[in-house]
Amino acid sequence: MPVKLTIDLGAQLPWVDCEQNYVSSTYKPARCNSAQCNLARSKACRTCFDGPKPGCNNNTCSLLLSSTKVATSGEVTQDVVAVQSTDGKSSGKVVSVSKFLFTYGSTFLLDGLASGVKGMAGLGRSKVSMPSLFSSAFSFPRKFVVCLGSSNGVIFFGDGPYNFLPFNIDILKSLIYTPLILNPVSTAQASFEGDPSSDYFIGVTGISINEKSMALNKTLLSINKEGHGGTKISTVAPYTVLETSIYRALVRAFIKEIPGIPRVPAVAPFCACFNSKGIGFSRIGPGVPTIVLVLPNKVVWRIFGFNSMVRVKEDMLCLGFVDGGLEPTTSIMIGGHQLEDNLLQFDPAASRLRFSSSLLFRQTTCANFNFTTAA
C-alpha cells in the first residue's frame, strides 16, 4: 500500500505511524544487540507490556525520533518496501527491499504535518537513512538528489543521469559543488549524548545582495564546539531561518537595493513586504535584487526572485526569510521555499554537495522529470 511521507533531509531514519491501519505479515522488530540495532547505533533496549504488535514488542531496540513539534522514542523494525526504479530518463519497474529498516512512530507525531502524511522520510547523514539503505540494497553509490517544486518534484537515489524535459537535459553535467561539513554535535530535537548531527551543513562565508557584501558577525557562520552556528539545509522548515542579526542585516540591505518600491504592512511570519505593482517579472520570478550565499573557493549560490519572494496577496510580495531569534542552534537554515526548483545532489561519502541554483534558468523545473514508464 502507498504511504505518504514528509521529506526530512536531516532525519537519521525514516519513521511511519504504525498505530493506525498498519497491517503487515512481514513486519519484524529488531531484537536487542542484533546487527540491525548495531547498525542503527541504538542505545536502548525496551520491554513492552501491551504487545506483541507493531511498535510494541519485548527485547527490541529503539531510537529517538522527532516530528516538527515533538520527539519520542520508537521501536526499530523492518518490513518490505517497494520503490520506483529509473534510468535517470524515465520511470522503470518497481523494485523492493525485503528488510528495510525504519522506526515505529506514534500517531501524535503526525500533528503539524501535511494532510494524509503517515510519517517522515529520513534522508540524513547516517547508516540507516533511506539513501544509505537503498545504496546497500542495490549496490550503488551513496548519493541522492532532492529536486522539489511547489506542486511536484523528484528524489533520485544513486548517481545520474538526471534528465529533465522538455529538452531531455542531464542536469548532472552542469552542477557546481561545495564541501559538506560534519557537525560533531547532534542538532536533532532529541538525541543520545555523543551523537553527531545527521543534518547536512555547508560553509556559507558571507551573504551579498546585488554583489554588495553584507556586514555580518562571521563567528555565527562557523560551528562552535557546542555544535551551534553554521548553515544547514532543511526540507522541514518552509522558509530560510536566520539568526536575528543576520536577518536584520539582510532585510536592511534588501530594502536599500529596491528604492521606489512601496512598503506595505507586513504579514507574519515575514517583516518586509512590498506592493508588487511596481515589480516586474521574468522567467526567474519577481525582478528583485539577487541574494547570494558566498561559499568556499569563490563558489556562490544565487537566490533569485522566484525563491526569495513569497506572494501572500494579489498585489503583495514579502521577502521569504524568517527571524530565528538571538540564539538559535543553527545560524542559517536554508528552507523549502529557497530550495524549490533547485537540484541538490548529496554525496556524504565524498563530503560534497553539488547544486544547480535555479533550474528556471535552464527552462525546466523539478516537476519536469518524465514520470512515464519507458517501453
Side-chain angles (χ1 to χ4, degrees), residues 64-76:
L64 297 173
L65 63 152
S66 60
S67 183
T68 56
K69 299 179 180 179
V70 292
T72 186
S73 63
E75 181 177 270
V76 178

Side-chain angles (χ1 to χ4, degrees), residues 39-375:
L39 183 66
R41 298 182 64 185
S42 171
K43 300 176 183 178
C45 188
R46 60 190 299 183
T47 299
C48 185
F49 301 101
D50 193 29
K53 62 181 180 181
C56 186
N57 294 273
N58 288 332
N59 189 34
T60 56
C61 64
S62 64
L63 284 179
L64 297 173
L65 63 152
S66 60
S67 183
T68 56
K69 299 179 180 179
V70 292
T72 186
S73 63
E75 181 177 270
V76 178
T77 189
Q78 61 186 33
D79 209 334
V80 178
V81 168
V83 66
Q84 194 88 38
S85 68
T86 179
D87 60 0
K89 301 176 182 179
S90 60
S91 296
K93 64 181 181 179
V94 172
V95 294
S96 63
V97 181
S98 60
K99 297 179 180 180
F100 193 85
L101 283 180
F102 64 100
T103 310
Y104 162 90
S106 301
T107 303
F108 72 84
L109 287 168
L110 301 177
D111 183 37
L113 301 184
S115 177
V117 163
K118 296 299 181 184
M120 303 189 86
L123 306 179
R125 269 185 111 151
S126 83
K127 293 181 179 179
V128 286
S129 67
M130 293 181 79
S132 296
L133 294 173
F134 283 131
S135 170
S136 176
F138 299 113
S139 300
F140 54 58
R142 190 161 56 97
K143 301 176 183 179
F144 70 100
V145 157
V146 173
C147 194
L148 306 176
S150 56
S151 60
N152 206 347
V154 63
I155 296 177
F156 296 102
F157 297 101
D159 215 339
Y162 313 119
N163 286 33
F164 286 78
L165 301 172
F167 306 113
N168 211 29
I169 305 169
D170 180 9
I171 303 299
L172 178 63
K173 295 179 180 179
S174 57
L175 300 181
I176 54 181
Y177 70 89
T178 192
L180 286 172
I181 298 171
L182 178 64
N183 187 336
V185 182
S186 176
T187 45
Q189 285 182 309
S191 63
F192 293 112
E193 185 177 356
D195 283 351
S197 176
S198 55
D199 282 300
Y200 296 95
F201 283 78
I202 58 174
V204 172
T205 60
I207 302 175
S208 66
I209 297 181
N210 276 356
E211 309 301 328
K212 299 176 183 177
S213 297
M214 289 167 38
L216 301 174
N217 179 356
K218 294 297 182 71
T219 60
L220 295 170
L221 303 180
S222 300
I223 300 170
N224 65 22
K225 61 182 180 180
E226 285 81 30
H228 294 179
T231 300
K232 75 176 182 181
I233 305 172
S234 171
T235 49
V236 176
Y239 306 102
T240 292
V241 182
L242 305 172
E243 184 273 340
T244 293
S245 67
I246 300 175
Y247 179 74
R248 290 175 178 172
L250 175 73
V251 171
R252 286 195 302 267
F254 189 86
I255 292 172
K256 185 177 180 180
E257 291 301 312
I258 51 170
I261 302 299
R263 295 276 301 276
V264 296
V267 174
F270 312 115
C271 83
C273 297
F274 307 87
N275 187 325
S276 62
K277 289 182 178 179
I279 299 176
F281 286 79
S282 69
R283 180 195 307 157
I284 54 174
V288 296
T290 301
I291 299 171
V292 174
L293 302 181
V294 182
L295 306 172
N297 302 316
K298 299 182 180 180
V299 173
V300 296
W301 182 337
R302 300 186 188 276
I303 302 174
F304 302 102
F306 177 84
N307 294 108
S308 66
M309 307 301 290
V310 177
R311 183 175 294 281
V312 295
K313 295 180 182 178
E314 183 177 353
D315 294 325
M316 184 177 181
L317 289 171
C318 296
L319 183 62
F321 294 73
V322 177
D323 188 342
L326 289 170
E327 295 183 351
T329 301
T330 302
S331 300
I332 301 175
M333 182 163 56
I334 303 173
H337 184 70
Q338 281 66 44
L339 299 178
E340 283 186 16
D341 291 321
N342 284 246
L343 186 143
L344 310 176
Q345 186 199 55
F346 295 86
D347 185 354
S351 294
R352 186 167 70 171
L353 171 74
R354 301 179 71 183
F355 64 98
S356 65
S357 288
S358 180
L359 292 181
L360 301 179
F361 257 126
R362 296 171 171 80
Q363 300 182 54
T364 189
T365 69
C366 289
N368 278 352
F369 179 69
N370 181 13
F371 291 99
T372 58
T373 302

